Amino acid sequence: MGDDMRSDHVASVRATGWLLGIGLTSACVGVSGGKPPDDSGSVTTSVEGGIVVTNVSGTSNRQGYLKVPVHIDEPQSVVQVVGQRSGWTSIDYITDSRGNSVFNWEDWSYSDESLTDCYYMSKNTTTINWPVREVDAWMEPGDYEVWVAALTSEGRYSADIEMRATVLVRPDANLTRGTLSALIAYANGVADDPEVVAATEEAAAHWAEIYASIGITLDVEYGSVDIDAELPSSSVGDPAYEALGESMGDRKVILVVGETITGDSWLYGEAGGIPGPFAPANTGIVAVGWLANAGADGRFSDQDLLLYGETMAHEMGHYLGLYHPVEDGFEYFDALSDTQRCTSYSSCESALGSNLMFPYPVCAGRTCTRQEDVTAEQSGVAHRYVGVL
Ligand SMILES: [Zn+2]
């Protein structure tokens, strides 16, 4: 089983966030809600498809935050805010016009359940998509602020830092039907191998089947990106990924196919965040290494093709906001009530081994359990992603 481990970035990010949680607490940030939006920056708004897109720029206040104003017009809306700066950043709060918190990172900092990566300190880009679940409630009409932090590498809050944010808002009453537009982009040289191209197209068809089972129509377009086939990590980020996002006519999620991710031939795939940004960003992609998906012989068997498609669906599942129902080690879980808690390899594999978001493939010899199941609450998270239209 160890060799098959789908070792994506979740565990390492969590470790960082856990340590950071302690650091942030001792930094003792004063929170005084209810202040008017910081008006030191500039704002531009446009409408793309059904999404109202607002770009905000400004500098962090004395507390180290750019308070990004979010105006909601339509009932039952979802909002995504992507905060970006040159350096470390996080999103810590969403507050309403009376200063009450809609999202408060402190509710989650010591939890053994994961809801969003946004409050973990990350380099250059941080993303929140709200609500995540039904219990988080829709964003209803009104004015809100999303607090994007500028941090030092030690997790201290920095004033007067230039920051920008993209705000995406749309009404989202329909949680049973939606379309996800995706670009599958080949890294340099990958599209020259007909076997890899054929395998990628077959895997994408399997990905589409899995998403169709929860009412999401996957609309795939193919392209290429000028980047080395030994892909840079999507959770660390790379300017080429942001440039790719900026070069697209329509807003889509992006999956980049390389030979490996950071030269690691066992790494199946890696998402740029949980959730990932629906905006050009240096972490704004899902990376897939075809070599790991083809297995040790480097050729795609029927089993490998299934696994390759599941990798795409799984990693994009992270990008849409889904965590593993249980993390390797059995100490951390998702924040959903219909993915069973379990505490050992055998009990987890029997309860959740066929779930799309199980942390690793479950194989006996050369045959692996199909991991295509998506629970109702997992489906609800995916449908609330601002890019599932
Ligand atoms: Zn994963």
Side-chain angles (χ1 to χ4, degrees):
M1 178 166 49
D3 285 346
D4 283 320
M5 202 69 73
R6 181 176 271 147
S7 53
D8 50 18
H9 76 286
V10 177
S12 61
V13 169
R14 178 185 322 289
T16 313
W18 188 255
L19 293 173
L20 178 73
I22 294 160
L24 288 179
T25 306
S26 63
C28 193
V29 179
V31 178
S32 56
K35 288 186 183 163
D38 210 7
D39 56 5
S40 58
S42 68
V43 175
T44 59
T45 300
S46 60
V47 180
E48 294 178 31
I51 306 177
V52 179
V53 182
T54 306
N55 290 299
V56 179
S57 62
T59 53
S60 57
N61 65 13
R62 280 167 48 198
Q63 295 173 308
Y65 288 106
L66 179 68
K67 293 189 187 176
V68 176
V70 174
H71 180 73
I72 306 282
D73 267 330
E74 306 267 355
Q76 300 189 314
S77 285
V78 290
V79 61
Q80 182 177 110
V81 174
V82 182
Q84 288 173 283
R85 64 164 292 234
S86 174
W88 295 95
T89 182
S90 66
I91 290 173
D92 296 354
Y93 307 98
I94 301 175
T95 49
D96 67 17
S97 57
R98 290 179 299 179
N100 298 320
S101 63
V102 173
F103 166 76
N104 183 341
W105 78 277
E106 292 160 60
D107 294 340
W108 294 92
S109 56
Y110 294 101
S111 173
D112 65 357
E113 295 183 343
S114 300
L115 188 72
T116 169
D117 274 2
C118 74
Y119 62 87
Y120 296 148
M121 180 170 160
S122 57
K123 199 80 178 277
N124 304 325
T125 305
T126 178
T127 305
I128 192 168
N129 195 99
W130 199 264
V132 181
R133 310 163 299 176
E134 187 173 2
V135 291
D136 300 319
W138 296 112
M139 294 292 282
E140 297 296 348
D143 288 298
Y144 301 85
E145 287 179 331
V146 175
W147 300 36
V148 186
L151 303 163
T152 67
S153 57
E154 291 85 35
R156 296 198 174 278
Y157 288 74
S158 303
D160 298 322
I161 301 292
E162 280 184 34
M163 306 172 71
R164 60 198 166 100
T166 306
V167 180
L168 305 131
V169 177
R170 68 175 172 90
D172 188 28
N174 191 334
L175 292 177
T176 55
R177 231 175 291 171
T179 298
L180 180 66
S181 296
L183 171 70
I184 295 181
Y186 296 105
N188 292 337
V190 175
D192 300 336
D193 187 332
E195 195 189 339
V196 174
V197 169
T200 301
E201 291 175 1
E202 198 163 331
H206 187 43
W207 169 21
E209 258 170 30
I210 295 170
Y211 278 32
S213 75
I214 54 167
I216 295 177
T217 302
L218 184 66
D219 184 3
V220 174
E221 181 185 305
Y222 291 87
S224 61
V225 53
D226 183 12
I227 196 166
D228 197 275
E230 186 178 306
L231 298 177
S233 162
S234 55
S235 59
V236 173
D238 191 276
Y241 296 148
E242 183 164 357
L244 176 60
E246 269 160 5
S247 73
M248 291 191 305
D250 297 326
R251 209 172 278 266
K252 296 174 192 293
V253 290
I254 302 170
L255 186 144
V256 175
V257 180
E259 184 171 296
T260 67
I261 301 164
T262 65
D264 181 347
S265 52
W266 293 109
L267 196 53
Y268 291 73
E270 184 188 52
I274 306 177
F278 196 55
N282 61 6
T283 57
I285 67 142
V286 164
V288 168
W290 72 260
L291 198 55
N293 287 276
D297 61 0
R299 308 294 302 271
F300 286 97
S301 66
D302 288 349
Q303 175 62 69
D304 295 331
L305 289 168
L306 284 174
L307 209 61
Y308 191 13
E310 287 170 9
T311 295
M312 292 179 177
H314 174 105
E315 296 303 333
M316 194 58 74
H318 284 313
Y319 206 85
L320 301 184
L322 293 171
Y323 284 86
H324 299 153
V326 57
E327 297 295 344
D328 195 22
F330 322 111
E331 289 176 9
Y332 298 102
F333 306 91
D334 66 20
L336 307 180
S337 61
D338 64 355
T339 50
Q340 201 176 312
R341 279 210 174 200
C342 56
T343 52
S344 69
Y345 281 106
S346 60
S347 65
C348 290
E349 287 176 11
S350 87
L352 295 161
S354 63
N355 190 276
L356 177 65
M357 299 311 296
F358 199 67
Y360 56 86
V362 178
C363 305
R366 300 176 70 88
T367 307
C368 304
T369 304
R370 284 195 171 211
Q371 297 181 316
E372 301 169 358
D373 297 346
V374 180
T375 69
E377 289 194 31
Q378 286 177 317
S379 170
V381 172
H383 276 276
R384 285 175 179 82
Y385 185 78
V386 79
V388 175
L389 287 161

